[in-house]
Amino acid sequence: MHEYPITQRIIEIAQEYATKNEATEVKVINLVVGDYSGYVASSIELYFDIIAEGSMCEKAKLNIERVVPKLKCNSCGELFIRKPFSFQCPNCNGEGSPTEIGQEFYIKSIEV
Amino acid sequence: MSENKEIEIMQSVYDKNDEVAARINSELTQSGIYAINVMGAPGAGKTTSLIQIVKRLNDVTPYVIEGDIEADFDTKTLQALGIKAIQINTGGACHLDSPLIGKAVEDLGIKNGVLFIENIGNLVCPAEFMIGEHAKMLISTVTEGSDKPYKYPLAFEKADIILLNKCDLIPYIDFDEDFFMKGVRALNKTAPVIKVSGKTEEGFDKVVSWIMDKLNA
Ligand SMILES: Nc1nc2c(ncn2[C@@H]2O[C@H](COP(=O)(O)OP(=O)(O)O)[C@@H](O)[C@H]2O)c(=O)[nH]1
Ligand SMILES: [Mg+2]
Ligand SMILES: [Zn+2]
């Protein structure tokens, strides 16, 4: 439910870059959303259609690349996706710590 | 139709929240306020713990911002105890955000003391949004079960201090403390985990001494 303001920002940024590049229409927005970013991809999609109406992004296709969070093993350094109820490394059985992977939220590019 | 032209952006998107949070944080610091964002599930004992903490603060002035959704029942309880408390009407939001806190801080007119911000009862969204706090206090309970760090990792990862509340109920339930602590420590190496009970009042002296250390740091 808190995705409304962030979706507005996405559209603003896309328009800003499109205008700078003398485009009149945004055709595609490529967005990267980590599962621990605090934002839910499907909610952004829902709001996008409503907010983009009447703007340069009205016909834009929103491509969302989701990123699954990974832990880094404290012993062997392996990056891995954790299993439910465990932080154990599949490689050496060591313990994993949280990383930034899965917390990203950025606009990769737009296509005009 | 012509070919698409790709324009690289690679820019993180933030809403206004983070900017406002940073501003509130520095304003609070300048006013001599240490702000604690209190997070936990509904009924975890956030309000109960605040009352226990505030009782033990002695010469430090407490302020409370209540963000929980249910009416202003908790705020009235706190005010009846002589605590400067203010209720934020969130209209059913899933977490408090910075502009709301900025306004409440102004309304409270606070200086020199500790500000407790009781966030919305939710283990997900409050962990993800800064609201100008200096520290995050997570209240987990033995009744919620020992698997909570595994199910809500971000709340445990971001916490600066963790209260394990309702310890008076341990004899009546299956709470696997080793499993709980293993999960907490995988996510968070530094936050103290303090066993407390709002019923027997055990543990709150330790919580208050942690807060005093931060205030005097
Ligand atoms: N047995 C027991 N009950 C508690 C404890 N702490 C809080 N409670 C009860 O749990 C309920 C919810 O507490 P409250 O502080 O309102 O939770 P909040 O929603 O997180 O603010 C109340 O009925 C409290 O009396 C505790 O340590 N032990
Ligand atoms: Mg409460
Ligand atoms: Zn390993």
Side-chain angles (χ1 to χ4, degrees):
Chain A
M1 95 195 301
H2 56 238
E3 279 76 7
Y4 191 93
I6 206 78
T7 309
Q8 274 176 318
R9 283 296 296 144
I10 293 166
I11 291 169
E12 280 166 25
I13 294 170
Q15 288 181 341
E16 189 187 306
Y17 276 86
T19 310
K20 254 193 263 172
N21 286 273
E22 284 154 12
T24 52
E25 190 185 41
V26 178
K27 291 177 185 154
V28 180
I29 299 175
N30 294 307
L31 188 69
V32 178
V33 181
D35 283 358
Y36 285 172
S37 65
Y39 298 102
V40 179
S42 58
S43 299
I44 296 169
E45 281 166 348
L46 278 177
Y47 286 126
F48 185 82
D49 292 339
I50 302 165
I51 303 172
E53 210 178 291
S55 79
M56 280 167 83
C57 297
E58 176 157 18
K59 296 203 184 102
K61 181 176 181 312
L62 186 61
N63 275 334
I64 300 184
E65 181 187 322
R66 283 179 52 186
V67 183
V68 180
K70 282 191 180 163
L71 300 179
K72 186 173 183 193
C73 176
N74 299 334
S75 309
C76 75
E78 172 100 345
L79 287 169
F80 62 95
I81 296 170
R82 76 179 183 94
K83 293 207 185 70
F85 304 111
S86 158
F87 296 95
Q88 207 174 49
C89 170
N91 188 35
C92 75
N93 294 333
E95 191 183 75
S97 290
T99 66
E100 300 285 301
I101 301 170
Q103 303 197 17
E104 47 282 270
F105 191 86
Y106 63 91
I107 303 180
K108 197 173 181 179
S109 65
I110 58 171
E111 291 166 39
V112 296
Chain B
M1 231 165 107
S2 60
E3 287 249 317
N4 285 7
K5 176 183 162 202
E6 182 163 3
I7 304 165
E8 187 171 294
I9 298 185
M10 299 304 283
Q11 179 182 324
S12 287
V13 189
Y14 302 102
D15 57 26
K16 298 256 157 52
N17 183 70
D18 296 352
E19 263 168 60
V20 180
R23 203 194 68 223
I24 294 172
N25 184 270
S26 71
E27 284 170 6
L28 287 170
T29 307
Q30 275 164 30
S31 319
I33 295 285
Y34 189 80
I36 303 179
N37 181 357
V38 183
M39 313 180 296
K46 295 180 291 300
T47 309
T48 307
S49 297
L50 288 185
I51 291 170
Q52 292 301 329
I53 292 167
V54 162
K55 279 209 310 206
R56 291 169 171 77
L57 281 175
N58 299 325
D59 356 313
V60 178
T61 312
Y63 302 93
V64 178
I65 294 175
E66 274 291 329
D68 223 351
I69 309 172
E70 322 102 64
D72 60 352
F73 186 72
D74 291 344
T75 308
K76 293 245 166 72
T77 311
L78 293 161
Q79 285 168 343
L81 291 168
I83 300 163
K84 242 187 159 179
I86 191 171
Q87 175 79 32
I88 290 189
N89 197 341
T90 53
C94 49
H95 66 99
L96 291 174
D97 67 10
S98 302
L100 282 171
I101 299 299
K103 170 131 196 337
V105 165
E106 255 173 52
D107 292 352
L108 263 176
I110 59 181
K111 223 175 163 50
N112 300 327
V114 194
L115 170 65
F116 298 94
I117 305 167
E118 179 173 338
N119 217 316
I120 312 288
N122 172 343
L123 275 176
V124 183
C125 311
E128 292 158 348
F129 294 88
M130 301 281 291
I131 49 174
E133 74 271 30
H134 297 91
K136 287 184 163 75
M137 175 183 285
L138 175 64
I139 303 189
S140 194
T141 59
V142 296
T143 45
E144 285 164 85
S146 37
D147 60 359
K148 285 303 156 295
Y150 303 85
K151 286 191 174 163
Y152 301 97
L154 205 65
F156 287 86
E157 180 186 333
K158 304 265 174 179
D160 297 292
I161 176 170
I162 299 167
L163 273 55
L164 180 59
N165 191 28
K166 307 200 183 181
C167 280
D168 57 291
L169 298 176
I170 289 178
Y172 311 103
I173 51 173
D174 298 313
F175 180 75
D176 185 342
E177 193 176 332
D178 289 343
F179 185 62
F180 177 81
M181 282 311 297
K182 197 168 172 243
V184 172
R185 284 299 168 235
L187 294 161
N188 191 323
K189 302 273 181 276
T190 53
V193 177
I194 304 178
K195 288 165 83 171
V196 298
S197 164
K199 191 110 184 159
T200 66
E201 311 201 355
E202 75 168 277
F204 286 102
D205 288 339
K206 282 188 204 145
V207 178
V208 170
S209 80
W210 183 88
I211 294 172
M212 296 311 291
D213 285 350
K214 294 287 165 187
L215 280 177
N216 299 323

